[in-house]
Amino acid sequence: MNEIICPHCQKTFNLDDAGYADILKQVRNHEFEIELEKREKELERQRQDALQLAEAKANEKLQAALRSKDAELAELRSKVGLEVSELKAQLGNFELQKSIAIQEATSVMERDYNKLASALDTEKKLKDMELQNQRAALEEKLRTEIQRKEDELRLKDETIERLRDFKARLSTKMLGETLEQHCEIEFNKLRPTAFNKNVYFEKDNDASSGTKGDYIYRESADDGTEFISIMFEMKNEQEDGGAKKKNEDFLKKLHEDRLKKGCEYAILVSMLEPESELYNAGIVDVSYKYPKMYVVRPQAFIPIITLLRNAALNSLQYRTELELVKAQNIDVTHFEDRLNQFKNGFSRNYQLASDKFHSAIKDIDKSIAALMKVKENLIGSENNLRLANDKAEEITIKKLTHNNPTMKQKFDELKGG
């Protein structure tokens, strides 16, 4: 403890070390602030003196530099005056030479112009004759081309009418069978090269369960393990026929047929709803209604098989590895990661394929629109040529010389001669 005497009341009181240290700190801080203020004032005074000295020296240097520049400027003005006088003399001489050169060049140009005018007049006459010959040849070529295009359009129109008449005579069952035959032919074209010997693709003729699909696709590995199976249903529609069917009308039956026949996937190959942008994209996943089910257009028949088959081949490898791991009692924790990786890869490949099919359909639509525009242009061109020909046939000497006495006089002189 420390005894402290108050300077005001002269009383003595005790403070512990912490209190005593705090009072000392306050005293030291106050003295430090007073000393700091003195030092700041002294530094400010020294700074002002230094600034005034520096300003005086700078002014002296500036005045000396200005005097030097004034002397240099006077000398430079004298030199510039002499150069200006010399340039004026040279300019007068140049103007005289330029005038003489212009006169000589003008004379040469006039001679050349007369020669060129004569040559151009002769060439113009030759070009006019050549253009007339080319025009006649082009008109003849255009007439021939128009006739050829008209023949092609007539043949295409006749072909379209024959196809429409053929489809109109087909029954609904025949239309369905025509689509089935198309798919079967497309598959058999690629069977020898794109599929192995363990592929089964045949019509579903087993109606023992009460109903049957159209086609069943199955494929097995070399050890006999089946790794993919698909139930197919083919649906077409008859143009200008009765009530229009929708794809959704057949999904439930297709789902039941898939389950009864033990197939993993179900695919509806459909020409129904031809105006639908959704189904015209090529491949539509409807697994939100029925699991592992797709609706495709006929052009996507082979690609959807290829996509599902490649995915199944990848999963077959994982299945084989999983069985091996289970047999050896090995941890299968990493299997789920690889399976998820496969699922993500399959989803991405499916999306890319769907986008490409959608782009292909758009390109086809653009091509059809372009052909129709060409047809319209050809028809319009043929009409204009017909009108031009009619006008040309109506032209007579009498019409040409009507209200034109000069031309009438020329023709009368030719007749009189």
Side-chain angles (χ1 to χ4, degrees):
M1 300 298 289
N2 297 291
E3 291 185 356
I4 302 298
I5 300 174
C6 179
H8 296 288
C9 63
Q10 301 301 319
K11 287 183 180 181
T12 300
F13 55 92
N14 295 324
L15 287 176
D16 57 9
D17 292 340
Y20 184 75
D22 186 48
I23 291 175
L24 289 177
K25 181 180 180 183
Q26 293 179 22
V27 173
R28 284 197 300 269
N29 288 344
H30 179 68
E31 293 175 351
F32 177 74
E33 290 175 357
I34 294 173
E35 182 64 24
L36 181 61
E37 185 176 357
K38 290 181 180 180
R39 293 294 299 276
E40 286 179 350
K41 291 180 179 179
E42 179 64 22
L43 289 174
E44 179 64 22
R45 185 182 62 77
Q46 292 177 2
R47 188 178 68 82
Q48 292 294 335
D49 293 342
L51 285 175
Q52 292 176 359
L53 180 61
E55 185 176 355
K57 290 181 178 180
N59 287 331
E60 291 178 1
K61 290 183 179 179
L62 179 61
Q63 292 299 327
L66 288 174
R67 288 192 295 271
S68 176
K69 291 297 181 182
D70 288 339
E72 292 178 1
L73 183 60
E75 183 179 357
L76 182 60
R77 284 175 179 173
S78 175
K79 291 181 179 179
V80 169
L82 292 175
E83 291 178 357
V84 168
S85 299
E86 292 177 359
L87 288 173
K88 286 182 178 180
Q90 293 177 3
L91 181 61
N93 187 25
F94 173 75
E95 290 294 334
L96 178 61
Q97 293 177 358
K98 184 177 73 171
S99 177
I100 296 172
I102 289 174
Q103 291 178 358
E104 293 177 353
T106 302
S107 176
V108 173
M109 288 179 65
E110 287 178 351
R111 291 196 300 271
D112 293 342
Y113 174 79
N114 293 332
K115 292 180 181 179
L116 286 173
S118 176
L120 285 173
D121 185 56
T122 304
E123 186 177 357
K124 183 176 180 299
K125 292 179 180 179
L126 295 175
K127 287 292 183 183
D128 289 342
M129 294 179 61
E130 184 179 354
L131 286 174
Q132 290 179 358
N133 295 333
Q134 290 180 354
R135 181 178 179 182
L138 287 174
E139 288 178 352
E140 180 62 27
K141 182 179 180 181
L142 182 60
R143 282 194 293 270
T144 304
E145 185 68 16
I146 290 173
Q147 185 62 40
R148 185 178 68 82
K149 291 295 183 182
E150 287 179 347
D151 294 340
E152 291 180 359
L153 290 173
R154 185 175 65 256
L155 290 175
K156 290 180 179 179
D157 291 339
E158 291 174 356
T159 303
I160 292 172
E161 289 299 324
R162 284 199 304 272
L163 290 174
R164 286 178 176 172
D165 183 62
F166 170 73
K167 292 188 74 174
R169 291 197 302 269
L170 288 177
S171 65
T172 303
K173 185 174 185 302
M174 290 176 65
L175 281 169
E177 290 177 350
T178 301
L179 179 58
E180 291 177 10
Q181 292 170 2
H182 166 76
C183 294
E184 185 173 359
I185 291 171
E186 291 299 313
F187 183 85
N188 287 332
K189 285 180 181 178
L190 297 174
R191 184 195 287 264
T193 56
F195 301 97
N196 61 37
K197 61 182 181 181
N198 300 319
V199 169
Y200 171 89
F201 180 75
E202 301 292 342
K203 285 186 67 67
D204 181 17
N205 296 317
D206 182 11
S208 58
S209 58
T211 125
K212 63 184 182 69
D214 287 334
Y215 280 85
I216 293 178
Y217 173 92
R218 297 184 186 276
E219 186 169 356
S220 303
D222 292 336
D223 60 0
T225 303
E226 182 178 284
F227 60 88
I228 184 173
S229 57
I230 307 173
M231 169 64 70
F232 283 99
E233 185 81 13
M234 283 73 168
K235 290 297 175 186
N236 205 335
E237 68 173 2
Q238 183 177 4
E239 293 183 359
D240 303 325
K244 301 293 184 181
K245 294 288 187 179
K246 294 185 176 180
N247 291 317
E248 292 185 2
D249 298 339
F250 302 95
L251 299 184
K252 182 178 180 181
K253 175 185 176 297
L254 177 58
H255 174 65
E256 293 174 351
D257 291 340
R258 178 182 77 84
L259 296 178
K260 290 176 182 178
K261 300 303 168 66
C263 294
E264 183 178 3
Y265 295 97
I267 297 177
L268 175 63
V269 184
S270 170
M271 290 292 290
L272 305 180
E273 302 181 61
E275 304 300 327
S276 172
E277 293 185 4
L278 173 64
Y279 294 112
N280 286 339
I283 299 176
V284 180
D285 185 356
V286 292
S287 56
Y288 60 92
K289 292 186 176 180
Y290 297 98
K292 296 188 176 183
M293 183 177 293
Y294 301 89
V295 179
V296 303
R297 291 303 191 199
Q299 63 267 25
F301 170 67
I302 295 298
I304 189 63
I305 295 178
T306 304
L307 285 173
L308 296 178
R309 178 176 180 269
N310 291 339
L313 284 172
N314 290 333
S315 66
L316 177 63
Q317 178 183 356
Y318 296 141
R319 291 177 190 174
T320 304
E321 293 178 1
L322 179 60
E323 292 298 327
L324 180 62
V325 168
K326 286 182 177 179
Q328 297 176 353
N329 294 321
I330 297 177
D331 184 14
V332 294
T333 303
H334 299 293
F335 173 74
E336 293 183 358
D337 295 336
R338 298 178 66 183
L339 184 60
N340 290 332
Q341 183 181 1
F342 155 71
K343 290 179 178 178
N344 293 333
F346 173 74
S347 176
R348 180 175 178 275
N349 290 336
Y350 165 74
Q351 186 62 42
L352 291 174
S354 179
D355 292 343
K356 288 184 180 297
F357 278 113
H358 188 63
S359 177
I361 292 298
K362 286 185 177 180
D363 291 342
I364 292 172
D365 292 339
K366 290 179 181 178
S367 299
I368 293 173
L371 289 174
M372 293 301 296
K373 186 173 180 65
V374 170
K375 179 180 178 182
E376 293 175 0
N377 291 337
L378 288 173
I379 293 174
S381 175
E382 191 271 337
N383 290 334
N384 289 326
L385 286 173
R386 178 177 56 77
L387 293 173
N389 185 57
D390 293 342
K391 291 179 180 179
E393 291 179 354
E394 292 176 358
I395 294 176
T396 62
I397 300 299
K398 183 177 181 180
K399 289 182 178 180
L400 291 174
T401 58
H402 182 65
N403 292 331
N404 192 339
T406 302
M407 292 299 298
K408 186 174 185 305
Q409 181 182 355
K410 294 294 184 182
F411 280 111
D412 291 342
E413 291 175 356
L414 290 173
K415 289 180 181 179

